[in-house]
């Protein structure tokens, strides 16, 4: 678009003589170039947003997939680093099956490591990966050791969940069977 306006201006200047050699022609050519660039910019911006959707219009932006299941703890280890008792770096590791309506839908596991002590209260940095039929979900959060509930942020995934965000709520932490609700935005 800019090129066609400049070619037109050049053809006009060949007919009328070089506008740069005439005093009033310089301003006219400058205005022509400025108008052409402005028109091209508006056209480019309009084309760039023609197919875009706002979050309110995009169909997938507002839809969440909710998966309710139970986590059956099968393996657990509590690693107490020196000094004995609660200290930074203490870690627990765990893994188990994901069960929905009596059917195993995947496996999961994770670790929580002590990152802050406030008296006997220890804050843990927890990382969990769930391996589901259509891909995996990764999540993390801070949690106080001994809490019975925790909400974790979904940080990513693979397969059908490769653009996943959202939250995972856990209840009955540390029980043989924990209740879980994953709210997944994609």
């Amino acid at each position: 678009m800019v090129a066609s306006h400049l070619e037109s201006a050049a053809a006009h200047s060949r007919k009328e003589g070089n506008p740069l050699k005439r005093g009033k022609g310089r301003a006219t050519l400058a205005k022509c170039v400025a108008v052409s660039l402005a028109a091209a910019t508006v056209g480019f911006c309009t084309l760039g947003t023609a197919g875009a959707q706002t979050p309110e219009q995009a169909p997938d932006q507002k839809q969440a997939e909710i998966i309710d299941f139970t986590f059956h703890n099968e393996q657990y280890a509590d690693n107490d680093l020196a000094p004995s008792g609660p200290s930074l770096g203490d870690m627990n590791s765990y893994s188990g099956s994901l069960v929905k309506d009596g059917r195993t839908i995947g496996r999961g596991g994770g670790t929580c490591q002590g990152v802050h002590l406030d008296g006997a209260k220890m804050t843990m940095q927890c990382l969990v990966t769930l391996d589901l039929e259509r891909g995996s979900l990764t999540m993390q959060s801070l949690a106080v050791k001994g809490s019975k509930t925790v909400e974790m942020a979904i940080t990513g995934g693979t397969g059908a969940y490769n653009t996943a965000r959202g939250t995972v709520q856990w209840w009955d932490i540390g029980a043989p069977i924990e209740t879980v609700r994953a709210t997944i935005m994609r």
Side-chain angles (χ1 to χ4, degrees):
M1 183 176 215
V2 173
S4 65
H5 282 294
L6 291 177
E7 287 172 13
S8 175
H12 178 72
S13 70
R14 281 192 294 273
K15 276 195 215 170
E16 303 293 323
N18 187 345
L20 297 178
K21 291 185 181 177
R22 296 179 297 146
K24 66 179 183 176
R26 249 184 246 169
T28 304
L29 182 59
K31 286 179 188 174
C32 178
V33 170
V35 168
S36 296
L37 288 175
T41 301
V42 168
F44 179 76
C45 290
T46 301
L47 286 174
T49 60
Q53 293 179 321
T54 65
E56 296 80 29
Q57 296 169 325
D60 294 331
Q61 292 293 340
K62 290 226 172 208
Q63 294 180 5
E65 176 182 357
I66 297 174
I67 305 173
D68 291 316
F69 58 93
T70 54
F71 181 84
H72 293 243
N73 282 299
E74 296 165 353
Q75 295 181 352
Y76 178 86
D78 204 359
N79 302 305
D80 185 11
L81 300 179
S84 183
S87 61
L88 293 182
D90 285 357
M91 180 184 287
N92 55 51
S93 304
Y94 43 89
S95 65
S97 299
L98 313 177
V99 178
K100 179 177 179 71
D101 301 326
R103 185 174 75 83
T104 299
I105 62 168
R107 299 207 39 80
T111 59
C112 291
Q113 185 170 30
V115 295
H116 182 78
L117 284 173
D118 185 9
K121 184 170 93 172
M122 182 184 299
T123 300
M124 311 285 281
Q125 165 72 28
C126 299
L127 305 169
V128 175
T129 302
L130 302 179
D131 192 19
L132 299 159
E133 295 164 335
R134 298 181 327 182
S136 66
L137 283 174
T138 58
M139 61 204 73
Q140 69 182 58
S141 72
L142 291 176
V144 174
K145 188 171 186 172
S147 294
K148 294 299 175 194
T149 63
V150 67
E151 183 175 37
M152 303 185 82
I154 295 173
T155 56
T158 64
Y161 306 109
N162 70 343
T163 60
R165 293 288 178 259
T167 58
V168 179
Q169 184 73 43
W170 297 76
W171 293 275
D172 307 317
I173 304 298
I177 298 176
E178 299 174 11
T179 304
V180 185
R181 170 172 273 186
T183 305
I184 307 161
M185 305 297 287
R186 294 184 272 150

